[in-house]
Amino acid sequence: SSSTLGPSGSESPSSIWTDVCTRFSRAQMEDFELDANGDFALDSPSGVRNNNTARLVIGCIDAAIEYELCSTTNTNPALVVELFSKFQRFSDVLCTRCVDERKKRVIGSASELSHMTLPTTLNVLELVLSDPRRMDNPDHALNCAPHDHTWFVAHTSGVSLWAANTAFVRHLLEIALARVTERAGMCEEPTHRVLHLAYIAYSGALAACARPLESGILDLPANLAKRSAKARSILYVAAESLVACTSVLQSRGKLDLLHVAVMRPQLMLFAPNDDPPTIDALLDAQYASALITGLRNTSEQMLAQKPVMAREATTVLTSLHAVCVQLSRTGNCCSNEGARAVIYKTMNETARWAFSLVGGELPGDANLLRNITMVLTSCQPFLQPETVFARPPLQLTFVSVPVDVRMDDYELGTLSRLIGSICTASRLLTNIEADPNETDEDEPNLGIFTARTIPALVTVLAAWFKAELHQVDWASTQLRRMSTSELAERPENDAEDLVMSIQVERRVCGRIHALSQLLLQLLSTVMPTQAATDQVIRMFHDLHRSFAHLTRTKLQCVQVPITESYIDCLSLICSTLNTHAHSMIIDKYGALVGSADTENPKKKTKLTSSKSAGKSHVLRNSTLVSSLVYQMELTEKYVGMVAAKHKTPLAHYLKRSLARDFRIERDRLHDPLQDTEGNSLDEESADTTMLMLDSPPPDMLDD
């Protein structure tokens, strides 16, 4: 007809594309001389030919799908579904039968074969995973010309056939996830598209799990509720997409835009724009709190469906942890009292919620427990009373707040219970005091604590422990700056500043003492793996460094006396903890080379068969131990100086011989390394292997 002809009488490009799309929607493998049971391996000429042919056909079908999706006037939803079914047919065969020389699959999923652009994918996802807020509210910020509310409702209804196709929606989400993951960390990554994907993933999928909380019934849309035994669910891919977007924004320093884009979307956020919107501090806190509440409710609903939705809940908790960390930082530097109250309320509720998840029976999934622990540690400072949380953690010591030791015990009580479970499981794994009959009633499910999961949990605790000690160091520095100047200039009869300084020191010592009690449980337990032991030793090293920093502060604040709180910390760290650390080092580092690995003997044999691998293992362990030895002796040195300056005997709290008992002589490390065939040392040689520390390690010179 004349309508399909171009200016010169030839067919128009749109007509040609329509014919191409229709042709490929009826394509069969036999049309291209392909066999579903044929050879697609990459180690044979016929397999390479079939592989290349299949990839070309898949690329043509993929281009036809994108053309139909981008068409603004003649979009045929049924044709798109037919094309996608052909895409699935060809890609399934290629993913299954394309193997390399080692007979391993080369293609992980069908999304790897698609070259669909991210803008097209996002535009379609915005319709098939529509935001109910935009559907119900004509005045929504995104309902503006030319895509107003009428246009959005009409197009959403027009693509209902796509929305009902679970495989198609999942395919689009996987494409968007692959595009964002590919570009993560690159400077040219379009931030507005990352924000757009985060908005779609949360509002169109994850938020559907949060809404049923009001009615108590989990009533998801059909495409979200449908699950496949082989493929991932839409909710899981959406949760992974949100995690990927969070990671990209965090690496670019723009994570503070996430809650605004998700909870209060604006066109300027989803378009190229270098100037972020200016938002009032109170509104910004409310949007962030709303996102955290939504993610928390989504996780709670998913956890109620476990083990069916355990993976989805674990992934959502990853995003929740990142947003909680960001909001905590915002609260620390926010001067708006209303915003600080909103932040405290939300974080306190989240902390109590995480507390309830580990306060009873522990979840049976190790990854889920790790992510819950990460959320708990990020919100843990907000377990303090609101009147106390007038400033960031430990900064409360510089306002008139009574010192209450019970505050630390309450705040760290949940983590103490979790650490106790880890220690109990470690003793069972190492056959020390292993009596399951005594732990059946009182202890939680210990089956999730294995030689592979315990190091991951201890690593999370070590990161939190280091952050807490960083706050302790900050408070010690502020004590030194405040007390040195103010106490020197105070009138003779004015004791207010002195009382304030003593109160600050008691608060800092109380925090150190509480953290030391947690570490005592780990140090008194033999960890099942070397990695977990290394983390515990690093935690003890960081604790000694913070206590040494506090002791140096006392050297400069002569007017502040030696308090009972400081004596308690000194006795616990330099006597009790040092003794347990000595035993742990002898048990785990006594034989630095060739100790048998009971968990995986083959892996250990492979490592010790190489001289260079054995040498690096020795040097790594010796550096860790020598750094701890040096820090312990440095602490003892400062304690001795404080005792001399205040003329108070403190030497009886120090176990000075312990630091020298587990030294490793560097010269004696050379002999076992010469034996490239041996895989173990004699017990006598292992017990006497010690390190002579002639100079401090390089990483300790700054102290």
Side-chain angles (χ1 to χ4, degrees), residues 402-410 506-507 510 513-514 565:
V403 177
D404 189 357
V405 179
R406 294 174 299 176
M407 181 171 57
D408 288 319
D409 296 336
Y410 172 76
R506 289 180 57 197
R507 181 69 186 92
H513 193 276
S565 300

Side-chain angles (χ1 to χ4, degrees), residues 345-594:
K345 182 176 182 296
T346 303
M347 297 291 282
N348 180 265
E349 292 175 352
T350 305
R352 292 177 181 275
W353 172 74
F355 178 93
S356 65
L357 294 181
V358 297
E361 183 180 357
L362 295 176
D365 185 87
N367 292 329
L368 179 60
L369 177 59
R370 182 195 61 191
N371 287 2
I372 293 175
T373 305
M374 293 172 63
V375 173
L376 179 61
T377 54
S378 63
C379 302
Q380 156 264 331
F382 295 85
L383 286 171
Q384 301 172 7
E386 185 173 6
T387 55
V388 172
F389 193 76
R391 301 183 185 278
L394 282 178
Q395 294 188 14
L396 56 91
T397 57
F398 299 98
V399 295
S400 181
V401 178
V403 177
D404 189 357
V405 179
R406 294 174 299 176
M407 181 171 57
D408 288 319
D409 296 336
Y410 172 76
E411 182 183 339
L412 305 179
T414 305
L415 292 177
S416 177
R417 181 182 179 277
L418 177 61
I419 291 175
S421 300
I422 293 175
C423 294
T424 302
S426 298
R427 286 191 288 269
L428 293 174
L429 289 173
T430 54
N431 295 323
I432 298 178
E433 300 180 8
D435 189 0
N437 297 327
E438 297 181 359
T439 59
D440 285 343
E441 299 181 358
D442 299 330
E443 292 294 334
N445 176 27
L446 300 177
I448 59 173
F449 299 107
T450 65
R452 298 186 61 182
T453 59
I454 287 179
L457 289 172
V458 175
T459 300
V460 173
L461 293 172
W464 165 81
F465 196 82
K466 188 171 185 178
E468 288 294 311
L469 290 177
H470 179 73
Q471 291 286 342
V472 170
D473 294 341
W474 180 90
S476 299
T477 302
Q478 297 302 314
L479 172 63
R480 174 175 54 82
R481 293 176 178 177
M482 178 188 69
S483 302
T484 304
S485 58
E486 295 183 0
L487 294 181
E489 300 175 359
R490 69 183 178 93
E492 184 175 351
N493 297 328
D494 186 5
E496 182 178 356
D497 292 336
L498 179 60
V499 172
M500 183 65 180
S501 298
I502 295 175
Q503 177 178 318
V504 170
E505 191 209 34
R506 289 180 57 197
R507 181 69 186 92
V508 174
C509 290
R511 193 64 171 183
I512 293 178
H513 193 276
L515 295 174
S516 301
Q517 291 286 358
L518 294 180
L519 186 57
L520 176 60
Q521 300 182 60
L522 295 173
L523 283 174
S524 58
T525 304
V526 178
M527 293 288 113
T529 64
Q530 187 73 32
T533 304
D534 290 347
Q535 291 295 339
V536 174
I537 293 299
R538 290 189 179 96
M539 293 169 67
F540 187 51
H541 175 271
D542 293 337
L543 178 65
H544 255 286
R545 183 160 50 187
S546 295
F547 185 69
H549 185 56
L550 175 63
T551 307
R552 288 203 309 268
T553 298
K554 293 188 67 66
L555 283 173
Q556 299 181 9
C557 304
V558 186
Q559 296 87 345
V560 179
I562 297 178
T563 61
E564 183 180 354
S565 300
Y566 180 81
I567 295 294
D568 292 340
C569 289
L570 176 63
S571 175
L572 179 59
I573 295 175
C574 292
S575 294
T576 308
L577 294 185
N578 278 5
T579 303
H580 288 289
H582 168 258
S583 301
M584 175 175 284
I585 290 175
I586 292 299
D587 291 339
K588 285 293 183 177
Y589 301 97
L592 295 179
V593 182

Side-chain angles (χ1 to χ4, degrees), residues 65-134:
I65 293 175
E66 185 164 9
Y67 171 78
E68 286 295 324
L69 295 178
C70 293
S71 179
T72 57
T73 56
N74 300 320
T75 301
N76 187 347
L79 180 59
V80 173
V81 174
E82 293 175 2
L83 285 169
F84 177 68
S85 66
K86 299 302 179 183
F87 181 91
Q88 279 186 303
R89 171 60 176 164
F90 281 84
S91 60
D92 287 347
V93 172
L94 192 59
C95 291
T96 303
R97 304 192 65 83
C98 181
V99 295
D100 57 11
E101 296 81 358
R102 296 173 296 177
K103 304 303 179 182
K104 292 185 178 181
R105 293 185 180 182
V106 177
I107 305 171
S109 63
S111 60
E112 298 179 15
L113 299 171
S114 176
H115 297 280
M116 190 180 298
T117 58
L118 184 58
T120 301
T121 307
L122 294 177
N123 291 336
V124 179
L125 283 174
E126 194 171 12
L127 297 176
V128 298
L129 294 176
S130 57
D131 184 2
R133 297 172 299 179
R134 186 177 178 184

Side-chain angles (χ1 to χ4, degrees), residues 126-127 130-138 142-143 146-160:
E126 194 171 12
L127 297 176
S130 57
D131 184 2
R133 297 172 299 179
R134 186 177 178 184
M135 290 284 293
D136 301 337
N137 183 15
L142 298 182
N143 288 330
H147 298 163
D148 55 7
H149 183 257
T150 304
W151 178 94
F152 182 73
V153 173
H155 279 70
T156 302
S157 303
V159 298
S160 58

